[in-house]
PDB file of all heavy atoms in Angstrom:
ATOM      1  N   THR A  10      34.764-101.203  52.835  1.00  0.00           N
ATOM      2  CA  THR A  10      34.030-101.167  54.086  1.00  0.00           C
ATOM      3  C   THR A  10      34.940-100.802  55.247  1.00  0.00           C
ATOM      4  O   THR A  10      34.561-100.027  56.144  1.00  0.00           O
ATOM      5  CB  THR A  10      33.343-102.530  54.372  1.00  0.00           C
ATOM      6  OG1 THR A  10      32.491-102.839  53.282  1.00  0.00           O
ATOM      7  CG2 THR A  10      32.558-102.505  55.628  1.00  0.00           C
ATOM      8  N   LEU A  11      36.133-101.337  55.248  1.00  0.00           N
ATOM      9  CA  LEU A  11      37.086-101.041  56.313  1.00  0.00           C
ATOM     10  C   LEU A  11      37.683 -99.637  56.169  1.00  0.00           C
ATOM     11  O   LEU A  11      38.012 -98.982  57.157  1.00  0.00           O
ATOM     12  CB  LEU A  11      38.198-102.098  56.340  1.00  0.00           C
ATOM     13  CG  LEU A  11      37.745-103.518  56.736  1.00  0.00           C
ATOM     14  CD1 LEU A  11      38.917-104.485  56.623  1.00  0.00           C
ATOM     15  CD2 LEU A  11      37.168-103.544  58.132  1.00  0.00           C
ATOM     16  N   ALA A  12      37.825 -99.194  54.920  1.00  0.00           N
ATOM     17  CA  ALA A  12      38.431 -97.879  54.682  1.00  0.00           C
ATOM     18  C   ALA A  12      37.483 -96.734  54.959  1.00  0.00           C
ATOM     19  O   ALA A  12      37.896 -95.626  55.298  1.00  0.00           O
ATOM     20  CB  ALA A  12      38.945 -97.804  53.257  1.00  0.00           C
ATOM     21  N   ALA A  13      36.183 -96.988  54.812  1.00  0.00           N
ATOM     22  CA  ALA A  13      35.209 -95.901  54.981  1.00  0.00           C
ATOM     23  C   ALA A  13      35.269 -95.248  56.369  1.00  0.00           C
ATOM     24  O   ALA A  13      35.305 -94.016  56.459  1.00  0.00           O
ATOM     25  CB  ALA A  13      33.804 -96.424  54.705  1.00  0.00           C
ATOM     26  N   PRO A  14      35.303 -96.012  57.470  1.00  0.00           N
ATOM     27  CA  PRO A  14      35.399 -95.351  58.781  1.00  0.00           C
ATOM     28  C   PRO A  14      36.703 -94.572  58.944  1.00  0.00           C
ATOM     29  O   PRO A  14      36.705 -93.472  59.535  1.00  0.00           O
ATOM     30  CB  PRO A  14      35.323 -96.501  59.783  1.00  0.00           C
ATOM     31  CG  PRO A  14      34.675 -97.612  59.070  1.00  0.00           C
ATOM     32  CD  PRO A  14      35.079 -97.443  57.626  1.00  0.00           C
ATOM     33  N   ALA A  15      37.780 -95.091  58.404  1.00  0.00           N
ATOM     34  CA  ALA A  15      39.046 -94.374  58.503  1.00  0.00           C
ATOM     35  C   ALA A  15      38.988 -93.082  57.698  1.00  0.00           C
ATOM     36  O   ALA A  15      39.464 -92.038  58.162  1.00  0.00           O
ATOM     37  CB  ALA A  15      40.192 -95.261  58.003  1.00  0.00           C
ATOM     38  N   ALA A  16      38.396 -93.140  56.540  1.00  0.00           N
ATOM     39  CA  ALA A  16      38.259 -91.938  55.720  1.00  0.00           C
ATOM     40  C   ALA A  16      37.350 -90.925  56.414  1.00  0.00           C
ATOM     41  O   ALA A  16      37.612 -89.730  56.394  1.00  0.00           O
ATOM     42  CB  ALA A  16      37.714 -92.304  54.341  1.00  0.00           C
ATOM     43  N   PHE A  17      36.286 -91.415  57.026  1.00  0.00           N
ATOM     44  CA  PHE A  17      35.368 -90.525  57.733  1.00  0.00           C
ATOM     45  C   PHE A  17      36.091 -89.868  58.921  1.00  0.00           C
ATOM     46  O   PHE A  17      35.996 -88.672  59.131  1.00  0.00           O
ATOM     47  CB  PHE A  17      34.144 -91.300  58.214  1.00  0.00           C
ATOM     48  CG  PHE A  17      33.184 -90.450  58.995  1.00  0.00           C
ATOM     49  CD1 PHE A  17      32.375 -89.529  58.364  1.00  0.00           C
ATOM     50  CD2 PHE A  17      33.117 -90.544  60.383  1.00  0.00           C
ATOM     51  CE1 PHE A  17      31.500 -88.723  59.078  1.00  0.00           C
ATOM     52  CE2 PHE A  17      32.229 -89.764  61.111  1.00  0.00           C
ATOM     53  CZ  PHE A  17      31.431 -88.851  60.449  1.00  0.00           C
ATOM     54  N   ALA A  18      36.824 -90.679  59.668  1.00  0.00           N
ATOM     55  CA  ALA A  18      37.575 -90.145  60.817  1.00  0.00           C
ATOM     56  C   ALA A  18      38.607 -89.105  60.351  1.00  0.00           C
ATOM     57  O   ALA A  18      38.784 -88.062  60.989  1.00  0.00           O
ATOM     58  CB  ALA A  18      38.250 -91.276  61.579  1.00  0.00           C
ATOM     59  N   GLN A  19      39.259 -89.409  59.226  1.00  0.00           N
ATOM     60  CA  GLN A  19      40.244 -88.456  58.704  1.00  0.00           C
ATOM     61  C   GLN A  19      39.556 -87.154  58.275  1.00  0.00           C
ATOM     62  O   GLN A  19      40.087 -86.066  58.535  1.00  0.00           O
ATOM     63  CB  GLN A  19      40.979 -89.066  57.509  1.00  0.00           C
ATOM     64  CG  GLN A  19      42.037 -88.162  56.913  1.00  0.00           C
ATOM     65  CD  GLN A  19      43.132 -87.812  57.890  1.00  0.00           C
ATOM     66  OE1 GLN A  19      43.595 -88.671  58.644  1.00  0.00           O
ATOM     67  NE2 GLN A  19      43.555 -86.570  57.910  1.00  0.00           N
ATOM     68  N   SER A  20      38.359 -87.282  57.685  1.00  0.00           N
ATOM     69  CA  SER A  20      37.660 -86.061  57.277  1.00  0.00           C
ATOM     70  C   SER A  20      37.228 -85.250  58.488  1.00  0.00           C
ATOM     71  O   SER A  20      37.259 -84.016  58.452  1.00  0.00           O
ATOM     72  CB  SER A  20      36.464 -86.418  56.386  1.00  0.00           C
ATOM     73  OG  SER A  20      35.449 -87.027  57.154  1.00  0.00           O
ATOM     74  N   GLN A  21      36.856 -85.938  59.560  1.00  0.00           N
ATOM     75  CA  GLN A  21      36.480 -85.243  60.794  1.00  0.00           C
ATOM     76  C   GLN A  21      37.703 -84.526  61.389  1.00  0.00           C
ATOM     77  O   GLN A  21      37.610 -83.384  61.862  1.00  0.00           O
ATOM     78  CB  GLN A  21      35.892 -86.224  61.821  1.00  0.00           C
ATOM     79  CG  GLN A  21      34.544 -86.798  61.388  1.00  0.00           C
ATOM     80  CD  GLN A  21      33.494 -85.729  61.235  1.00  0.00           C
ATOM     81  OE1 GLN A  21      33.287 -84.897  62.085  1.00  0.00           O
ATOM     82  NE2 GLN A  21      32.816 -85.733  60.078  1.00  0.00           N
ATOM     83  N   THR A  22      38.829 -85.204  61.383  1.00  0.00           N
ATOM     84  CA  THR A  22      40.059 -84.603  61.883  1.00  0.00           C
ATOM     85  C   THR A  22      40.436 -83.381  61.050  1.00  0.00           C
ATOM     86  O   THR A  22      40.790 -82.314  61.578  1.00  0.00           O
ATOM     87  CB  THR A  22      41.219 -85.634  61.852  1.00  0.00           C
ATOM     88  OG1 THR A  22      40.846 -86.734  62.681  1.00  0.00           O
ATOM     89  CG2 THR A  22      42.516 -85.048  62.366  1.00  0.00           C
ATOM     90  N   THR A  23      40.344 -83.536  59.752  1.00  0.00           N
ATOM     91  CA  THR A  23      40.660 -82.411  58.853  1.00  0.00           C
ATOM     92  C   THR A  23      39.695 -81.259  59.067  1.00  0.00           C
ATOM     93  O   THR A  23      40.123 -80.093  59.096  1.00  0.00           O
ATOM     94  CB  THR A  23      40.622 -82.894  57.369  1.00  0.00           C
ATOM     95  OG1 THR A  23      41.533 -83.983  57.216  1.00  0.00           O
ATOM     96  CG2 THR A  23      40.989 -81.789  56.421  1.00  0.00           C
ATOM     97  N   ALA A  24      38.442 -81.546  59.247  1.00  0.00           N
ATOM     98  CA  ALA A  24      37.455 -80.496  59.504  1.00  0.00           C
ATOM     99  C   ALA A  24      37.756 -79.780  60.809  1.00  0.00           C
ATOM    100  O   ALA A  24      37.686 -78.552  60.888  1.00  0.00           O
ATOM    101  CB  ALA A  24      36.043 -81.080  59.511  1.00  0.00           C
ATOM    102  N   GLN A  25      38.112 -80.523  61.836  1.00  0.00           N
ATOM    103  CA  GLN A  25      38.443 -79.933  63.123  1.00  0.00           C
ATOM    104  C   GLN A  25      39.704 -79.062  63.014  1.00  0.00           C
ATOM    105  O   GLN A  25      39.784 -77.969  63.580  1.00  0.00           O
ATOM    106  CB  GLN A  25      38.639 -80.994  64.214  1.00  0.00           C
ATOM    107  CG  GLN A  25      38.866 -80.423  65.585  1.00  0.00           C
ATOM    108  CD  GLN A  25      37.701 -79.569  66.069  1.00  0.00           C
ATOM    109  OE1 GLN A  25      36.539 -79.963  65.951  1.00  0.00           O
ATOM    110  NE2 GLN A  25      37.993 -78.398  66.609  1.00  0.00           N
ATOM    111  N   GLN A  26      40.685 -79.565  62.245  1.00  0.00           N
ATOM    112  CA  GLN A  26      41.908 -78.763  62.037  1.00  0.00           C
ATOM    113  C   GLN A  26      41.588 -77.480  61.309  1.00  0.00           C
ATOM    114  O   GLN A  26      42.153 -76.408  61.608  1.00  0.00           O
ATOM    115  CB  GLN A  26      42.934 -79.583  61.263  1.00  0.00           C
ATOM    116  CG  GLN A  26      43.550 -80.719  62.079  1.00  0.00           C
ATOM    117  CD  GLN A  26      44.429 -81.633  61.243  1.00  0.00           C
ATOM    118  OE1 GLN A  26      44.342 -81.646  60.019  1.00  0.00           O
ATOM    119  NE2 GLN A  26      45.270 -82.406  61.932  1.00  0.00           N
ATOM    120  N   ALA A  27      40.672 -77.563  60.354  1.00  0.00           N
ATOM    121  CA  ALA A  27      40.267 -76.338  59.627  1.00  0.00           C
ATOM    122  C   ALA A  27      39.577 -75.361  60.551  1.00  0.00           C
ATOM    123  O   ALA A  27      39.827 -74.149  60.505  1.00  0.00           O
ATOM    124  CB  ALA A  27      39.363 -76.706  58.460  1.00  0.00           C
ATOM    125  N   LYS A  28      38.719 -75.855  61.447  1.00  0.00           N
ATOM    126  CA  LYS A  28      38.046 -74.977  62.411  1.00  0.00           C
ATOM    127  C   LYS A  28      39.061 -74.336  63.354  1.00  0.00           C
ATOM    128  O   LYS A  28      38.979 -73.150  63.648  1.00  0.00           O
ATOM    129  CB  LYS A  28      37.016 -75.760  63.210  1.00  0.00           C
ATOM    130  CG  LYS A  28      35.776 -76.147  62.423  1.00  0.00           C
ATOM    131  CD  LYS A  28      34.821 -76.958  63.273  1.00  0.00           C
ATOM    132  CE  LYS A  28      33.622 -77.428  62.485  1.00  0.00           C
ATOM    133  NZ  LYS A  28      32.704 -78.271  63.267  1.00  0.00           N
ATOM    134  N   ASP A  29      40.009 -75.150  63.818  1.00  0.00           N
ATOM    135  CA  ASP A  29      41.053 -74.624  64.699  1.00  0.00           C
ATOM    136  C   ASP A  29      41.890 -73.557  64.011  1.00  0.00           C
ATOM    137  O   ASP A  29      42.211 -72.519  64.588  1.00  0.00           O
ATOM    138  CB  ASP A  29      41.958 -75.759  65.205  1.00  0.00           C
ATOM    139  CG  ASP A  29      41.242 -76.728  66.125  1.00  0.00           C
ATOM    140  OD1 ASP A  29      40.146 -76.394  66.612  1.00  0.00           O
ATOM    141  OD2 ASP A  29      41.790 -77.843  66.356  1.00  0.00           O
ATOM    142  N   ALA A  30      42.233 -73.828  62.743  1.00  0.00           N
ATOM    143  CA  ALA A  30      43.006 -72.835  61.975  1.00  0.00           C
ATOM    144  C   ALA A  30      42.233 -71.559  61.787  1.00  0.00           C
ATOM    145  O   ALA A  30      42.783 -70.462  61.840  1.00  0.00           O
ATOM    146  CB  ALA A  30      43.414 -73.435  60.636  1.00  0.00           C
ATOM    147  N   GLU A  31      40.924 -71.670  61.572  1.00  0.00           N
ATOM    148  CA  GLU A  31      40.092 -70.494  61.418  1.00  0.00           C
ATOM    149  C   GLU A  31      40.048 -69.688  62.702  1.00  0.00           C
ATOM    150  O   GLU A  31      40.137 -68.455  62.678  1.00  0.00           O
ATOM    151  CB  GLU A  31      38.665 -70.896  61.011  1.00  0.00           C
ATOM    152  CG  GLU A  31      37.762 -69.711  60.731  1.00  0.00           C
ATOM    153  CD  GLU A  31      36.372 -70.120  60.269  1.00  0.00           C
ATOM    154  OE1 GLU A  31      36.088 -71.314  60.155  1.00  0.00           O
ATOM    155  OE2 GLU A  31      35.558 -69.204  60.062  1.00  0.00           O
ATOM    156  N   LYS A  32      39.941 -70.363  63.841  1.00  0.00           N
ATOM    157  CA  LYS A  32      39.935 -69.648  65.126  1.00  0.00           C
ATOM    158  C   LYS A  32      41.267 -68.947  65.346  1.00  0.00           C
ATOM    159  O   LYS A  32      41.299 -67.806  65.839  1.00  0.00           O
ATOM    160  CB  LYS A  32      39.678 -70.650  66.268  1.00  0.00           C
ATOM    161  CG  LYS A  32      38.253 -71.121  66.344  1.00  0.00           C
ATOM    162  CD  LYS A  32      38.050 -72.092  67.496  1.00  0.00           C
ATOM    163  CE  LYS A  32      36.649 -72.649  67.520  1.00  0.00           C
ATOM    164  NZ  LYS A  32      36.469 -73.641  68.582  1.00  0.00           N
ATOM    165  N   ILE A  33      42.348 -69.611  65.006  1.00  0.00           N
ATOM    166  CA  ILE A  33      43.684 -68.999  65.172  1.00  0.00           C
ATOM    167  C   ILE A  33      43.789 -67.766  64.262  1.00  0.00           C
ATOM    168  O   ILE A  33      44.322 -66.726  64.685  1.00  0.00           O
ATOM    169  CB  ILE A  33      44.787 -70.040  64.883  1.00  0.00           C
ATOM    170  CG1 ILE A  33      44.811 -71.091  65.985  1.00  0.00           C
ATOM    171  CG2 ILE A  33      46.141 -69.373  64.738  1.00  0.00           C
ATOM    172  CD1 ILE A  33      45.670 -72.288  65.688  1.00  0.00           C
ATOM    173  N   ALA A  34      43.298 -67.904  63.038  1.00  0.00           N
ATOM    174  CA  ALA A  34      43.357 -66.767  62.110  1.00  0.00           C
ATOM    175  C   ALA A  34      42.520 -65.602  62.598  1.00  0.00           C
ATOM    176  O   ALA A  34      42.932 -64.457  62.495  1.00  0.00           O
ATOM    177  CB  ALA A  34      42.886 -67.215  60.717  1.00  0.00           C
ATOM    178  N   GLN A  35      41.369 -65.889  63.168  1.00  0.00           N
ATOM    179  CA  GLN A  35      40.497 -64.826  63.708  1.00  0.00           C
ATOM    180  C   GLN A  35      41.184 -64.139  64.895  1.00  0.00           C
ATOM    181  O   GLN A  35      41.152 -62.910  65.015  1.00  0.00           O
ATOM    182  CB  GLN A  35      39.154 -65.393  64.139  1.00  0.00           C
ATOM    183  CG  GLN A  35      38.249 -65.745  62.982  1.00  0.00           C
ATOM    184  CD  GLN A  35      36.968 -66.429  63.430  1.00  0.00           C
ATOM    185  OE1 GLN A  35      36.844 -66.866  64.567  1.00  0.00           O
ATOM    186  NE2 GLN A  35      36.004 -66.548  62.516  1.00  0.00           N
ATOM    187  N   ALA A  36      41.810 -64.939  65.747  1.00  0.00           N
ATOM    188  CA  ALA A  36      42.518 -64.355  66.895  1.00  0.00           C
ATOM    189  C   ALA A  36      43.683 -63.488  66.424  1.00  0.00           C
ATOM    190  O   ALA A  36      43.901 -62.383  66.969  1.00  0.00           O
ATOM    191  CB  ALA A  36      43.027 -65.464  67.819  1.00  0.00           C
ATOM    192  N   ALA A  37      44.390 -63.954  65.399  1.00  0.00           N
ATOM    193  CA  ALA A  37      45.486 -63.178  64.855  1.00  0.00           C
ATOM    194  C   ALA A  37      44.993 -61.883  64.247  1.00  0.00           C
ATOM    195  O   ALA A  37      45.606 -60.812  64.405  1.00  0.00           O
ATOM    196  CB  ALA A  37      46.264 -63.987  63.824  1.00  0.00           C
ATOM    197  N   GLU A  38      43.857 -61.943  63.571  1.00  0.00           N
ATOM    198  CA  GLU A  38      43.278 -60.738  62.979  1.00  0.00           C
ATOM    199  C   GLU A  38      42.870 -59.736  64.074  1.00  0.00           C
ATOM    200  O   GLU A  38      43.113 -58.542  63.944  1.00  0.00           O
ATOM    201  CB  GLU A  38      42.080 -61.098  62.119  1.00  0.00           C
ATOM    202  CG  GLU A  38      41.474 -59.896  61.404  1.00  0.00           C
ATOM    203  CD  GLU A  38      40.307 -60.267  60.495  1.00  0.00           C
ATOM    204  OE1 GLU A  38      39.984 -61.487  60.359  1.00  0.00           O
ATOM    205  OE2 GLU A  38      39.711 -59.358  59.923  1.00  0.00           O
ATOM    206  N   GLN A  39      42.287 -60.236  65.153  1.00  0.00           N
ATOM    207  CA  GLN A  39      41.891 -59.370  66.251  1.00  0.00           C
ATOM    208  C   GLN A  39      43.113 -58.721  66.890  1.00  0.00           C
ATOM    209  O   GLN A  39      43.114 -57.529  67.227  1.00  0.00           O
ATOM    210  CB  GLN A  39      41.108 -60.146  67.288  1.00  0.00           C
ATOM    211  CG  GLN A  39      39.716 -60.518  66.822  1.00  0.00           C
ATOM    212  CD  GLN A  39      38.979 -61.429  67.787  1.00  0.00           C
ATOM    213  OE1 GLN A  39      39.568 -61.998  68.694  1.00  0.00           O
ATOM    214  NE2 GLN A  39      37.684 -61.588  67.595  1.00  0.00           N
ATOM    215  N   LYS A  40      44.191 -59.521  67.048  1.00  0.00           N
ATOM    216  CA  LYS A  40      45.419 -58.939  67.599  1.00  0.00           C
ATOM    217  C   LYS A  40      45.995 -57.887  66.678  1.00  0.00           C
ATOM    218  O   LYS A  40      46.513 -56.844  67.146  1.00  0.00           O
ATOM    219  CB  LYS A  40      46.447 -60.042  67.851  1.00  0.00           C
ATOM    220  CG  LYS A  40      46.133 -60.919  69.043  1.00  0.00           C
ATOM    221  CD  LYS A  40      47.185 -61.982  69.263  1.00  0.00           C
ATOM    222  CE  LYS A  40      46.823 -62.860  70.440  1.00  0.00           C
ATOM    223  NZ  LYS A  40      47.836 -63.917  70.677  1.00  0.00           N
ATOM    224  N   ALA A  41      45.945 -58.140  65.380  1.00  0.00           N
ATOM    225  CA  ALA A  41      46.448 -57.165  64.427  1.00  0.00           C
ATOM    226  C   ALA A  41      45.627 -55.877  64.475  1.00  0.00           C
ATOM    227  O   ALA A  41      46.187 -54.775  64.427  1.00  0.00           O
ATOM    228  CB  ALA A  41      46.435 -57.757  63.012  1.00  0.00           C
ATOM    229  N   GLU A  42      44.320 -56.011  64.602  1.00  0.00           N
ATOM    230  CA  GLU A  42      43.466 -54.816  64.691  1.00  0.00           C
ATOM    231  C   GLU A  42      43.757 -54.045  65.970  1.00  0.00           C
ATOM    232  O   GLU A  42      43.782 -52.809  65.975  1.00  0.00           O
ATOM    233  CB  GLU A  42      41.991 -55.233  64.631  1.00  0.00           C
ATOM    234  CG  GLU A  42      41.543 -55.691  63.260  1.00  0.00           C
ATOM    235  CD  GLU A  42      40.140 -56.279  63.234  1.00  0.00           C
ATOM    236  OE1 GLU A  42      39.504 -56.392  64.300  1.00  0.00           O
ATOM    237  OE2 GLU A  42      39.669 -56.618  62.136  1.00  0.00           O
ATOM    238  N   ALA A  43      43.981 -54.771  67.076  1.00  0.00           N
ATOM    239  CA  ALA A  43      44.288 -54.117  68.354  1.00  0.00           C
ATOM    240  C   ALA A  43      45.636 -53.418  68.234  1.00  0.00           C
ATOM    241  O   ALA A  43      45.804 -52.278  68.732  1.00  0.00           O
ATOM    242  CB  ALA A  43      44.298 -55.147  69.478  1.00  0.00           C
ATOM    243  N   ALA A  44      46.607 -54.050  67.592  1.00  0.00           N
ATOM    244  CA  ALA A  44      47.914 -53.437  67.426  1.00  0.00           C
ATOM    245  C   ALA A  44      47.810 -52.200  66.553  1.00  0.00           C
ATOM    246  O   ALA A  44      48.475 -51.174  66.833  1.00  0.00           O
ATOM    247  CB  ALA A  44      48.889 -54.430  66.816  1.00  0.00           C
ATOM    248  N   ASP A  45      46.996 -52.242  65.528  1.00  0.00           N
ATOM    249  CA  ASP A  45      46.781 -51.091  64.659  1.00  0.00           C
ATOM    250  C   ASP A  45      46.155 -49.948  65.441  1.00  0.00           C
ATOM    251  O   ASP A  45      46.569 -48.784  65.323  1.00  0.00           O
ATOM    252  CB  ASP A  45      45.918 -51.488  63.473  1.00  0.00           C
ATOM    253  CG  ASP A  45      45.756 -50.370  62.453  1.00  0.00           C
ATOM    254  OD1 ASP A  45      46.787 -49.751  62.090  1.00  0.00           O
ATOM    255  OD2 ASP A  45      44.622 -50.110  62.017  1.00  0.00           O
ATOM    256  N   ALA A  46      45.172 -50.279  66.259  1.00  0.00           N
ATOM    257  CA  ALA A  46      44.511 -49.249  67.075  1.00  0.00           C
ATOM    258  C   ALA A  46      45.528 -48.631  68.062  1.00  0.00           C
ATOM    259  O   ALA A  46      45.549 -47.408  68.248  1.00  0.00           O
ATOM    260  CB  ALA A  46      43.320 -49.824  67.844  1.00  0.00           C
ATOM    261  N   ALA A  47      46.356 -49.467  68.661  1.00  0.00           N
ATOM    262  CA  ALA A  47      47.356 -48.973  69.594  1.00  0.00           C
ATOM    263  C   ALA A  47      48.347 -48.094  68.862  1.00  0.00           C
ATOM    264  O   ALA A  47      48.783 -47.049  69.407  1.00  0.00           O
ATOM    265  CB  ALA A  47      48.062 -50.134  70.283  1.00  0.00           C
ATOM    266  N   ALA A  48      48.729 -48.475  67.673  1.00  0.00           N
ATOM    267  CA  ALA A  48      49.660 -47.668  66.881  1.00  0.00           C
ATOM    268  C   ALA A  48      49.067 -46.316  66.567  1.00  0.00           C
ATOM    269  O   ALA A  48      49.754 -45.292  66.607  1.00  0.00           O
ATOM    270  CB  ALA A  48      50.059 -48.409  65.616  1.00  0.00           C
ATOM    271  N   LYS A  49      47.770 -46.280  66.241  1.00  0.00           N
ATOM    272  CA  LYS A  49      47.114 -45.013  65.957  1.00  0.00           C
ATOM    273  C   LYS A  49      47.079 -44.123  67.195  1.00  0.00           C
ATOM    274  O   LYS A  49      47.272 -42.913  67.111  1.00  0.00           O
ATOM    275  CB  LYS A  49      45.703 -45.243  65.430  1.00  0.00           C
ATOM    276  CG  LYS A  49      45.686 -45.789  64.014  1.00  0.00           C
ATOM    277  CD  LYS A  49      44.287 -46.049  63.516  1.00  0.00           C
ATOM    278  CE  LYS A  49      44.313 -46.611  62.094  1.00  0.00           C
ATOM    279  NZ  LYS A  49      42.992 -46.963  61.593  1.00  0.00           N
TER     280      LYS A  49
END
């Protein structure tokens, strides 16, 4: 009973970290595409 909220909070933190990592990856991909276009 005591561990369940901690596990839930940890899963929420992990989910948020995954969303943040996805946003960072998308931004990096956009920068790479822009750099490729500039190189062309």
Side-chain angles (χ1 to χ4, degrees):
T10 302
L11 294 176
F17 178 75
Q19 181 62 41
S20 71
Q21 293 299 310
T22 300
T23 303
Q25 185 60 46
Q26 289 172 342
K28 288 178 184 177
D29 292 345
E31 184 178 359
K32 286 180 184 177
I33 290 169
Q35 287 174 346
E38 184 178 356
Q39 289 173 346
K40 286 181 181 180
E42 289 172 357
D45 186 47
K49 287 179 181 176

